[in-house]
Amino acid sequence: MTRHYHVLIVGGGAAGFFAAINIKEKNRDLSVCILEKGKEVLQKVKISGGGRCNLTHACFDPRELTQFYPRGKRELLGPFHQFMTGDTMEWFESRGVPLKIERDNRVFPKSNQSKSIVDCLLNSADLLGVDVNKSEGVSDFHKLENGLWEIVTSQHKYTCDKLIVTAGSSKLIWKLLVDMGHKVIAPVPSLFTFNIKDPLLEELPGVAVQNVEVHVKDTKLKSTGPLLITHWGISGPAVLKLSAFGAILLADKEYQYQVVVNWLSCNKQQALEVLFNAKKTDAKSIVEKRSPFGSISKRLWSRFLSVCDVNSQIKWADVSNKELELIAEKLTATVFHAQGKSTFKDEFVTAGGVDLKEINFKRFESKSHENLFFAGEILNIDAVTGGFNFQNAWTGGWIISEAIAT
């Protein structure tokens, strides 16, 4: 028996739930159903921000906000004027979820638990009568001659007037869309850490430097911000931003490239002046005892001395000018060979998806198939870490609800 709904949503994630809830709130007469292939819904919401859910970012200017999106920057400007980060915060707070803005402008529930966001979405959907069908993987969808959409799952057949696809980075769904004539940009990973094996990084996982410049050699890719040394290489906001903006280029390089790290975000001459000053003012002190650079910890400073073959137990007065030159060079231009990548925590994000030229962003609707809507990662939109990918999902879901329910 075929089941019919006014609106059917493929994908039980952030964008799907947000669209469903807002459609029902605007028009209670519409029947809405979410189909989720997994046994659970809202999985990415649960693990986001280390289980705290970084649901958006405290950037309140639409044009400034678009700068955090390597793909989708131009297309999202109009939508952000309609539903912005402040709107997201008001939406959740008005439904009983107090929020907080942290020092880096990331926004979290005050509870520090993603459960607050998940429960809000689940309870809202339930109260409004949204059907949520789990373990229903979609195997096919197509338009019937009468204008309705037919959706086939592992369990049932459905028809609907409006079809919303929010299935994330689903290869099967992308294939179905290609078969329908849509162009899909081949997906590649975004938001990943750089795998690097180098003596400078050994046994230093957890060491962070706050203001670092990272550059992929022989490219225009450059990023600044905090850097974190990990068991596998380097991570942190500076690296993750670079991986997002360079996702396609680095994939083309098969994740084999040289990374230049300026640990001080200053030039070699400026670093030398600090070192010469330390030699002069701390002449009788042991070199290893204290880093002359406030951002470089003692452990990391000691490692720099080691890789530069400088005796760490000598006094500053005994360090040669040639050795100081070598240290300054290493601090401002360490060259690493990256070989591979690692997923950032459990938050897998892809660059790629439905070509943005094929979408009407006033409605998030397909230009070639009426009553077919897209939101979230199914589109070729992605962002750096910090709540921006969720904001894309909330905005897309909201605008679709406006298009369908009003």
Side-chain angles (χ1 to χ4, degrees):
M1 179 179 170
T2 299
R3 303 180 182 183
H4 180 78
Y5 287 89
H6 292 113
V7 182
L8 200 144
I9 300 169
V10 179
F17 266 83
F18 208 69
I21 292 165
N22 283 290
I23 288 168
K24 287 290 286 186
E25 284 188 341
K26 293 180 173 80
N27 190 337
R28 296 293 181 95
D29 293 332
L30 295 179
S31 57
V32 179
C33 177
I34 296 173
L35 298 177
E36 167 57 43
K37 70 175 181 179
K39 294 180 180 179
E40 299 294 333
V41 294
L42 299 167
Q43 285 298 95
K44 276 198 175 182
V45 178
K46 289 179 183 177
I47 63 174
S48 162
R52 296 194 299 141
C53 189
N54 177 196
L55 75 158
T56 190
H57 199 90
C59 173
F60 302 110
D61 177 77
R63 191 169 296 278
E64 182 183 344
L65 184 62
T66 63
Q67 303 304 309
F68 294 96
Y69 294 82
R71 285 149 291 276
K73 172 181 171 181
R74 181 174 61 84
E75 290 81 4
L76 287 175
L77 182 58
F80 282 158
H81 275 95
Q82 295 180 61
F83 193 86
M84 193 46 183
T85 51
D87 299 308
T88 297
M89 294 178 69
E90 182 183 356
W91 195 94
F92 281 100
E93 289 191 316
S94 69
R95 287 159 179 79
V97 184
L99 305 176
K100 62 175 179 175
I101 301 172
E102 299 198 341
R103 282 193 301 176
D104 58 4
N105 286 330
R106 292 187 300 166
V107 179
F108 292 89
K110 282 186 178 178
S111 67
N112 277 327
Q113 293 184 334
S114 60
K115 188 176 186 296
S116 299
I117 304 299
V118 171
D119 286 350
C120 175
L121 295 170
L122 288 176
N123 293 337
S124 296
D126 185 52
L127 287 170
L128 290 163
V130 175
D131 287 346
V132 179
N133 296 352
K134 304 172 189 175
S135 299
E136 290 239 32
V138 171
S139 57
D140 186 30
F141 56 77
H142 52 271
K143 209 165 199 178
L144 300 173
E145 290 184 5
N146 60 7
L148 296 179
W149 288 94
E150 182 177 69
I151 298 90
V152 181
T153 77
S154 53
Q155 305 291 329
H156 302 98
K157 272 188 179 181
Y158 298 85
T159 57
C160 64
D161 302 291
K162 317 277 186 182
L163 177 61
I164 305 172
V165 181
T166 62
S169 50
S170 168
K171 291 181 179 179
L172 173 58
I173 300 300
W174 276 328
K175 183 182 182 303
L176 293 175
L177 292 171
V178 169
D179 291 343
M180 290 172 53
H182 266 294
K183 180 181 178 182
V184 171
I185 309 300
V188 296
S190 181
L191 286 188
F192 52 84
T193 63
F194 296 170
N195 288 5
I196 297 169
K197 288 187 177 181
D198 190 279
L200 179 61
L201 306 178
E202 288 176 2
E203 298 177 7
L204 291 179
V207 171
V209 183
Q210 288 307 307
N211 189 26
V212 172
E213 183 181 273
V214 186
H215 170 61
V216 176
K217 198 171 181 180
D218 300 324
T219 75
K220 294 181 180 180
L221 292 173
K222 188 176 290 186
S223 175
T224 58
L227 180 146
L228 175 69
I229 298 174
T230 72
H231 289 285
W232 301 275
I234 56 176
S235 184
V239 171
L240 295 171
K241 182 179 179 182
L242 204 62
S243 76
F245 279 87
I248 295 172
L249 177 61
L250 300 182
D252 288 343
K253 290 178 175 288
E254 297 182 341
Y255 307 104
Q256 304 282 327
Y257 46 91
Q258 288 188 311
V259 181
V260 183
V261 177
N262 183 333
W263 300 87
L264 306 174
S265 288
C266 69
N267 62 40
K268 180 181 175 181
Q269 187 56 42
Q270 290 170 319
L272 262 178
E273 289 174 8
V274 174
L275 293 169
F276 280 131
N277 185 62
K279 181 174 180 177
K280 181 180 178 181
T281 58
D282 296 330
K284 295 182 180 180
S285 299
I286 301 298
V287 177
E288 188 186 37
K289 275 194 172 181
R290 182 180 64 85
S291 164
F293 303 95
S295 61
I296 304 296
S297 69
K298 183 180 176 182
R299 285 178 67 200
L300 184 56
W301 170 246
S302 178
R303 184 59 56 82
F304 272 111
L305 295 175
S306 175
V307 297
C308 291
D309 291 325
V310 176
N311 185 343
S312 61
Q313 299 307 309
I314 63 175
K315 295 179 180 179
W316 273 101
D318 299 324
V319 183
S320 70
N321 288 352
K322 185 177 180 181
E323 288 174 322
L324 293 180
E325 287 257 3
L326 189 59
I327 295 171
E329 176 69 27
K330 199 73 172 177
L331 282 164
T332 56
T334 303
V335 180
F336 293 117
H337 184 57
Q339 295 179 292
K341 57 177 174 48
S342 293
T343 301
F344 173 56
K345 297 182 179 177
D346 295 313
E347 300 171 43
F348 188 70
V349 175
T350 57
V354 177
D355 193 330
L356 304 186
K357 294 176 183 177
E358 302 184 354
I359 306 300
N360 171 9
F361 279 93
K362 291 181 179 179
R363 296 166 56 85
F364 277 69
E365 184 177 17
S366 166
K367 289 180 179 178
S368 54
H369 298 282
E370 190 179 4
N371 294 327
L372 176 61
F373 300 83
F374 301 101
E377 273 194 73
I378 194 72
L379 295 168
N380 185 27
I381 295 176
D382 63 287
V384 301
T385 183
F388 303 104
N389 284 298
F390 274 138
Q391 185 56 50
N392 169 47
W394 311 134
T395 296
W398 171 268
I399 290 177
I400 289 172
S401 75
E402 290 280 289
I404 288 178
T406 58

